[in-house]
Amino acid sequence: MGINNERDIEANMQIGPTELGMVRIFIDADGIEIPMDFEPEEAEEIAEEIKAAAMAARAVKKS
């Protein structure tokens, strides 16, 4: 499965700080829970990647 393949799966995502000073992205889909913890610096890099992808998606959508 690639990034351009669509799936009909419902998922919930939560993002927040942990009590250990990490940033957690928590995915819950079809009874599967995926907690992913990141150092704050890693989380900032991920946020930058998401922003860049949003900008690229806007460019595609306008075409």
Side-chain angles (χ1 to χ4, degrees), residues 8-51:
D8 191 21
I9 297 175
E10 237 179 85
N12 295 309
M13 179 174 67
Q14 296 177 333
I15 302 171
T18 70
E19 54 190 33
L20 298 176
M22 302 289 280
V23 175
R24 177 167 289 167
I25 298 175
F26 185 82
I27 308 290
D28 179 17
D30 288 341
I32 298 171
E33 296 179 345
I34 304 170
M36 297 177 285
D37 291 349
F38 302 93
E39 296 286 339
E41 295 76 19
E42 291 175 301
E44 289 172 341
E45 289 176 16
I46 292 167
E48 289 172 10
E49 289 179 30
I50 291 171
K51 286 181 179 184

